[in-house]
Amino acid sequence: MASGANRNGMHKGTVKPPSAANSSNLKSSSFKPRLPPSNQSPGSALRRTNSASFTAAARDDGVPGRVRVAVRLRPRNAEELVADADFADCVELQPELKRLKLRKNNWDSETYEFDEVLTEFASQKRVYEVVAKPVVESVLDGYNGTVMAYGQTGTGKTFTLGRLGEEDTSARGIMVRSMEEILANVSLETDSVTVSYLQLYMEAIQDLLDPANDNISIVEDPKTGDVSLPGATHVEIRDEHSFLELLRLGEAHRIAANTKLNTESSRSHAILMVHVKRSVLGAEDAIPSEIDKSSHFVKPPKPLVRKSKLVLVDLAGSERVHKSGSEGHMLEEAKSINLSLSALGKCINALAENSAHVPVRDSKLTRLLRDSFGGTARTSLIVTIGPSPRHRGETASTILFGQRAMKVENMLRIKEEFDYKSLARRLEIQLDKLIAENERQQKAFDDEVERINLEAQNRVSEVERDFTDALEKERLKCQMEYMESVKKLEEKMIENQRKHGCDGFMNDKCNGKGPGFSIAEDVAEVKKLLEKEINMRKEAEEEAGGAAEILKLQKALEDEGHQKKKLEEEIIILRSQMLQLTFEAEQMRRCLGRGGSGNAHTGLDSPMSQVRDSLNGHKTPVAALFEQVGLQKILALLESEDPNVRIHAVKVVANLAAEEANQERIVEAGGLTSLLMLLRSYEDETVHRVAAGAIANLAMNEANQELIMVQGGISLLSMTASDAEDPQTLRMVAGAIANLCGNDKLQSKLRSEGGIKALLGMVRCGHLDVLSQVARGIANFAKCESRASTNGIKSGRSLLIDDGALPWIVQNANNDSAPIRRHIELALCHLAQHEVNAKDMICGGALWELVRISQDCSREDIRSLARRTLNSSPVFRAEMRRLRIEL
Ligand code: ADP
Ligand code: MG
């Protein structure tokens, strides 16, 4: 055997497959292992490189898996039993050694080793288990698989693959048994098994399940190299019965052309494709991302789908054409059959020899089987041979084919894909769950917020209610106290009137128990109450919980703050009213004290000085009030946004300014500036009137006069004068300017800032009180001017004449109102003392008035002053002479 092998060149003796692992596989069963052995020979690596170009790109590198080849010998048939009765079989099998001896003649034989050697007695079950079962199991694991029968017609290819075993189940072939195994292992809920049944005949692919569909094209995925037949009918298989029906149908359609060799044989290639799609759950990612960790999203196991394909090929007979005895069309047919077969042989040769070029595209069969040889599929080939020595040549070529196929190394790969549909379905379910959960949580949250809001609202309204009650009580109390104070004052006034004396009253006031004192008590009490309120509020605030509640309470707190401020302002207003009352009471007291002579105004004093005079020399409760309220507070109120508060405040300041004792403090505290601000910033005429009154009082002091000037007071007063309509306002403004006119240092400023013009402008209102102040101002100005001229500080004509005051002076020199008349008489005397004015005075008619004054004035001192003045002026004297006037 060994020597025979040596004599027979490359095919003699034992032709071992290239894998070193093969020898061990041969000892047991080369078809058994579920996964191909990993300890492959170096040669396999080469083939792997080669086959890679022939293979689809796959998920990973895969595992090597050589094409396994079994040989099966058919028992002698009836014909052979007769015809070859005298001859020995051409083959001798040594199944335990997995060897086959092919007899060349009686004395020579060749020995071949296969992965499995199946004798004529081998059962269909055993054939399935050693040839097909490992492939089917691989298919169930996700690999592609091929089981193919190759051999001369009549050697049992269809017997091996396609027997249905309807009468005898033990006769069932590989197709039925494979399907049985597949159906037993898949879950029909998650997996699917579909079948197409085709025949390749004369290079055309026909659908055995739909014979009209007779030219199905092969589609190759350019990326993966996967081959598919989308045009073929795919029938889903759910049980064995339907599969048998399908096979029967296919068989009925299968073209069977009789040949001389065997009436049952077929010249077409029958191809059964079983597509298995299985859902598997992939492992989760080893390291979950940060987002995954923090989110509620539970990453589902990766849904994967494994698509595998079992291809069972019952090849047409491998016999040569000349042997078939075909002619005409039959010859062409045989050529076509052999085209595919010879192409398959060429591809296997190329792969076996590790050739650079594998002519896959030469035939449809090789294109369809590209994954089976040199691809990613697990492939088993069963070569069938007959025993007859008459077909020795065909048998030898069949054996040779099998031997070459054993050298073909495949690279098994699982075709695993994401099951996007299933993933989407799972995610959708998970998303819906999350949405529902989120909605539940949102609802709970909203309810909670609503509850807290309601609670906070209740608490806040409770606090507000308490506060409002307390405030109202407080207000009523203040009002009552105020009324009582007023009542007490009135009673005291009446009592004093009765007594016609002021001693008791005075003592009462001066010992610090007057209304000021009671107010102080009241104020202290109000303060206490306020403090109590604040404490109550704080307590309420502490009780309140929750952010919303605190916010609301803060708002309430702010409101309370405003209320408090208002209350304080109200208190100040009350005090200012009290102050007014006190003034009035004092005035009344003075009047009574003088026995009704208090109405006799001198007419030369400023309006406020009347009040001041009345209080002069007496300690009044004003001082005490002043202390209690605090000057700064009152001054601050001058800028209050509330016009009422402003008016009250300015009144209080004006009252305070009427007292000489307060003036200095008022100015120091910035009161003068504030009063001037009122003239500048507000248009309210009452404010203007009272402020101007206060300024008039402050303007009695020389230092203050200069301050007023420095702070732009002259022009402010002038502006106020031009805007005012109320005679009392004009009276106050005129009074203030008149006071300034009495300051020697302010002469030119007064004139340049429009003071004189403003004075003269105010005469438009015609009110005697106003005119009186204007006249006083002119008199004051003239006096200062005269003094300056006498001292040589000033030269030139009077500024009064320059500003056009003379006509009004002349016109009012004999005014019915004594105060006016007196001021003007003095002014004329002052003007006449300087020769520079004489000419203008003569022209303006002032000389006649001076003459009249020197003769008719009721006041002796003025009369003689006028006379002296006229006599001392050469110009006047000359004019009098000309007019024949004698004094
Ligand atoms: P092929 O398909 O290769 O042309 P078949 O499967 O049609 O050959 O077989 C030809 C004949 O031989 C059939 O009648 C078949 O029953 C018979 N046959 C083939 N193999 C066996 C076997 N192993 N045992 C018994 N009969 C067989
Ligand atoms: Mg057949």
Side-chain angles (χ1 to χ4, degrees):
M1 180 176 75
S3 61
N6 289 335
R7 280 201 305 274
N8 202 22
M10 69 173 286
H11 298 301
K12 272 186 181 173
T14 304
V15 180
K16 288 200 175 193
S19 168
N22 189 47
S23 57
S24 63
N25 286 339
L26 285 170
K27 275 172 194 146
S28 57
S29 168
S30 60
F31 290 89
K32 278 285 177 195
R34 294 287 297 272
L35 281 170
S38 56
N39 52 338
Q40 294 294 313
S41 68
S44 65
L46 273 173
R47 281 202 185 82
R48 207 177 327 165
T49 319
N50 180 31
S51 56
S53 62
F54 188 27
T55 330
R59 205 170 63 92
D60 49 37
D61 287 345
V63 283
R66 183 175 56 74
V67 172
R68 306 280 152 169
V69 183
V71 62
R72 184 181 195 186
L73 177 66
R74 173 177 54 72
R76 283 189 180 207
N77 57 26
E79 189 200 328
E80 283 162 346
L81 283 170
V82 176
D84 301 331
D86 299 333
F87 301 96
D89 285 353
C90 69
V91 291
E92 184 191 323
L93 302 183
Q94 294 175 313
E96 65 288 348
L97 296 172
K98 301 184 193 300
R99 282 179 187 168
L100 175 150
K101 277 187 182 177
L102 179 65
R103 278 186 234 278
K104 285 176 85 177
N105 45 52
N106 284 337
W107 62 90
D108 199 3
S109 67
E110 286 163 352
T111 303
Y112 300 94
E113 204 166 282
F114 283 91
D115 290 313
E116 205 62 53
V117 172
L118 301 157
T119 67
E120 64 269 42
F121 310 110
S123 68
Q124 289 282 73
K125 185 170 189 273
R126 185 168 144 65
V127 171
Y128 170 75
E129 277 171 359
V130 297
V131 176
K133 193 177 165 92
V135 179
V136 172
E137 284 173 347
S138 285
V139 168
L140 286 166
D141 285 344
Y143 299 91
N144 282 346
T146 311
V147 178
M148 194 164 72
Y150 179 93
Q152 197 182 352
T153 298
T155 51
K157 298 184 293 298
T158 306
F159 183 89
T160 303
L161 281 173
R163 279 290 286 268
L164 300 182
E166 285 162 305
E167 290 105 40
D168 176 9
T169 48
S170 70
R172 288 170 300 157
I174 286 171
M175 285 179 179
V176 178
R177 289 176 193 266
S178 299
M179 185 53 74
E180 218 171 41
E181 176 127 26
I182 289 168
L183 289 173
N185 284 282
V186 297
S187 152
L188 291 175
E189 282 166 19
T190 56
D191 308 334
S192 81
V193 181
T194 56
V195 159
S196 14
Y197 199 12
L198 311 145
Q199 119 171 320
L200 176 61
Y201 180 63
M202 301 276 283
E203 286 302 286
I205 300 171
Q206 297 172 340
D207 194 340
L208 286 179
L209 304 177
D210 178 10
N213 194 8
D214 61 1
N215 197 10
I216 296 167
S217 48
I218 301 169
V219 175
E220 288 167 47
D221 187 323
K223 272 190 198 159
T224 62
D226 275 347
V227 172
S228 62
L229 301 168
T233 307
H234 287 73
V235 177
E236 181 153 9
I237 303 298
R238 302 189 69 82
D239 54 52
E240 201 187 328
H241 176 72
S242 63
F243 179 62
L244 285 174
E245 282 295 308
L246 197 129
L247 284 185
R248 259 195 294 273
L249 181 73
E251 202 49 45
H253 292 143
R254 193 172 175 195
I255 298 171
N258 289 331
T259 65
K260 286 178 190 170
L261 293 172
N262 192 307
T263 49
E264 288 176 54
S265 69
S266 166
R267 294 188 190 96
S268 66
H269 307 282
I271 304 158
L272 181 77
M273 284 186 174
V274 183
H275 300 272
V276 179
K277 200 150 87 177
R278 302 192 76 184
S279 291
V280 284
L281 290 182
E284 280 185 53
D285 290 346
I287 305 157
S289 70
E290 281 304 306
I291 298 162
D292 292 340
K293 264 190 235 168
S294 57
S295 77
H296 297 292
F297 182 77
V298 180
K299 201 173 178 185
K302 219 193 284 178
L304 297 172
V305 65
R306 283 184 183 166
K307 290 178 179 172
S308 52
K309 186 167 68 180
L310 174 66
V311 184
L312 302 171
V313 191
D314 182 358
L315 290 170
S318 59
E319 60 277 5
R320 287 193 200 110
V321 177
H322 71 270
K323 276 245 175 172
S324 71
S326 302
E327 283 170 6
H329 168 73
M330 296 297 271
L331 179 67
E332 280 306 303
E333 186 186 89
K335 271 184 186 168
S336 275
I337 292 164
N338 275 356
L339 172 73
S340 268
L341 268 184
S342 60
L344 179 65
K346 279 178 197 162
C347 283
I348 285 173
N349 282 348
L351 287 163
E353 285 159 20
N354 209 14
S355 163
H357 178 65
V358 181
V360 184
R361 306 198 64 83
D362 283 4
S363 75
K364 292 213 167 152
L365 183 66
T366 47
R367 283 173 70 197
L368 273 176
L369 295 177
R370 67 180 300 172
D371 198 37
S372 308
F373 293 93
T376 65
R378 178 183 284 279
T379 298
S380 278
L381 174 69
I382 183 159
V383 292
T384 54
I385 51 171
S388 172
R390 284 178 290 148
H391 302 302
R392 201 197 145 276
E394 295 299 340
T395 304
S397 93
T398 301
I399 287 167
L400 202 63
F401 180 88
Q403 286 290 300
R404 287 197 180 137
M406 282 176 82
K407 292 183 180 176
V408 176
E409 189 84 39
N410 285 0
M411 186 59 60
L412 274 56
R413 287 192 187 112
I414 290 184
K415 302 268 169 62
E416 215 167 46
E417 292 175 3
F418 270 120
D419 187 356
Y420 288 107
K421 268 191 195 166
S422 151
L423 178 65
R425 218 169 28 246
R426 278 160 197 260
L427 288 177
E428 227 165 69
I429 292 166
Q430 192 160 8
L431 184 67
D432 280 346
K433 273 186 193 164
L434 287 173
I435 287 169
E437 179 59 24
N438 180 267
E439 199 184 351
R440 263 195 300 278
Q441 283 179 2
Q442 183 65 42
K443 178 81 179 70
F445 178 76
D446 288 348
D447 289 353
E448 185 64 9
V449 167
E450 203 174 312
R451 192 188 61 75
I452 290 171
N453 268 342
L454 207 72
E455 207 173 295
Q457 262 170 20
N458 287 341
R459 288 203 194 171
V460 166
S461 34
E462 207 174 296
V463 170
E464 274 174 357
R465 219 171 25 247
D466 291 351
F467 181 74
T468 313
D469 290 352
L471 209 65
E472 183 57 22
K473 267 186 209 159
E474 192 62 31
R475 202 182 62 77
L476 284 171
K477 198 177 165 196
C478 281
Q479 226 170 24
M480 291 285 288
E481 282 165 1
Y482 169 68
M483 297 296 283
E484 263 173 41
S485 301
V486 171
K487 214 169 142 188
K488 267 183 202 166
L489 271 171
E490 278 172 0
E491 280 168 10
K492 278 179 185 167
M493 265 166 58
I494 292 161
E495 199 182 325
N496 283 335
Q497 268 175 342
R498 259 206 318 271
K499 282 182 183 172
H500 289 284
C502 70
D503 289 354
F505 187 77
M506 283 300 291
N507 289 340
D508 203 20
K509 290 274 165 80
C510 297
N511 65 10
K513 287 183 181 173
F517 185 76
S518 70
I519 287 167
E521 279 177 344
D522 294 345
V523 169
E525 213 167 310
V526 170
K527 271 187 182 166
K528 245 191 228 164
L529 276 167
L530 269 174
E531 268 168 24
K532 224 163 94 184
E533 281 306 315
I534 289 163
N535 286 337
M536 269 169 68
R537 200 180 55 211
K538 273 184 189 161
E539 274 171 27
E541 203 175 275
E542 276 163 16
E543 276 170 29
E549 231 173 316
I550 285 169
L551 272 176
K552 291 219 164 186
L553 287 174
Q554 274 174 347
K555 173 89 178 60
L557 203 69
E558 272 172 29
D559 289 348
E560 281 172 34
H562 289 312
Q563 297 271 26
K564 183 190 162 193
K565 215 173 151 196
K566 267 195 175 171
L567 208 66
E568 279 175 351
E569 283 176 2
E570 224 169 281
I571 290 165
I572 290 165
I573 290 163
L574 284 172
R575 279 177 181 153
S576 72
Q577 285 171 348
M578 187 61 73
L579 193 69
Q580 301 269 46
L581 273 171
T582 311
F583 270 113
E584 281 161 26
E586 288 290 321
Q587 223 176 337
M588 185 68 80
R589 185 185 56 76
R590 284 288 290 169
C591 292
L592 293 170
R594 285 176 185 168
S597 64
N599 284 332
H601 292 167
T602 59
L604 286 170
D605 296 322
S606 75
M608 285 301 177
S609 66
Q610 293 165 15
V611 177
R612 186 204 63 206
D613 280 350
S614 73
L615 298 170
N616 202 17
H618 301 288
K619 191 165 164 59
T620 69
V622 175
L625 272 171
F626 199 170
E627 297 295 324
Q628 287 158 23
V629 177
L631 184 58
Q632 286 296 351
K633 269 191 180 172
I634 298 172
L635 291 178
L637 290 174
L638 289 178
E639 288 175 48
S640 165
E641 281 173 16
D642 186 340
N644 285 329
V645 173
R646 260 197 326 263
I647 287 169
H648 276 294
V650 72
K651 279 181 179 170
V652 171
V653 174
N655 283 334
L656 290 169
E659 270 194 86
E660 211 174 321
N662 300 329
Q663 286 177 356
E664 198 181 330
R665 288 178 60 187
I666 290 170
V667 174
E668 268 173 16
L672 181 58
T673 312
S674 299
L675 290 164
L676 289 169
M677 177 275 297
L678 291 176
L679 293 188
R680 189 184 295 119
S681 310
Y682 299 102
E683 286 178 359
D684 186 305
E685 185 141 351
T686 312
V687 170
H688 283 185
R689 187 184 70 237
V690 183
I695 293 167
N697 273 334
L698 295 174
M700 292 184 334
N701 174 300
E702 199 179 318
N704 292 346
Q705 287 166 358
E706 278 161 37
L707 265 178
I708 291 167
M709 189 265 299
V710 169
Q711 293 186 22
I714 298 169
S715 47
L716 274 173
L717 287 165
S718 302
M719 261 153 52
T720 311
S722 67
D723 293 341
E725 280 168 10
D726 176 18
Q728 290 312 311
T729 312
L730 290 168
R731 184 174 75 123
M732 298 300 172
V733 176
I737 296 177
N739 284 348
L740 298 174
C741 284
N743 189 316
D744 292 312
K745 295 175 196 160
L746 303 184
Q747 296 282 292
S748 59
K749 266 272 174 192
L750 259 171
R751 196 231 165 177
S752 65
E753 290 188 19
I756 297 166
K757 288 244 162 80
L759 269 181
L760 291 169
M762 284 187 278
V763 301
R764 68 183 182 272
C765 91
H767 195 283
L768 284 180
D769 287 344
V770 180
L771 297 184
S772 168
Q773 293 305 322
V774 172
R776 185 170 69 91
I778 285 170
N780 278 347
F781 195 91
K783 187 171 87 187
C784 291
E785 207 174 41
S786 169
R787 203 152 46 210
S789 295
T790 310
N791 295 337
I793 298 164
K794 187 192 176 303
S795 60
R797 197 169 69 163
S798 162
L799 296 175
L800 288 170
I801 296 172
D802 283 350
D803 272 6
L806 200 55
W808 185 79
I809 293 171
V810 173
Q811 213 178 317
N812 289 278
N814 199 17
N815 197 295
D816 290 340
S817 157
I820 298 170
R821 201 166 58 238
R822 210 141 295 151
H823 287 309
I824 290 179
E825 284 167 354
L826 280 170
L828 279 169
C829 291
H830 290 310
L831 287 171
Q833 278 170 15
H834 303 284
E835 284 289 283
V836 280
N837 300 328
K839 220 174 162 187
D840 290 289
M841 291 182 79
I842 291 165
C843 292
L847 179 60
W848 292 109
E849 293 304 324
L850 277 166
V851 171
R852 182 193 56 76
I853 293 163
S854 66
Q855 291 169 351
D856 298 343
C857 181
S858 61
R859 272 181 52 179
E860 163 64 37
D861 53 339
I862 297 174
R863 247 191 350 255
S864 59
L865 176 66
R867 197 176 303 122
R868 263 201 324 271
T869 307
L870 287 174
N871 283 334
S872 61
S873 162
V875 182
F876 283 131
R877 276 209 313 273
E879 184 63 8
M880 283 192 293
R881 266 199 307 277
R882 194 179 69 81
L883 296 171
R884 294 195 182 91
I885 298 169
E886 276 188 28
L887 294 178

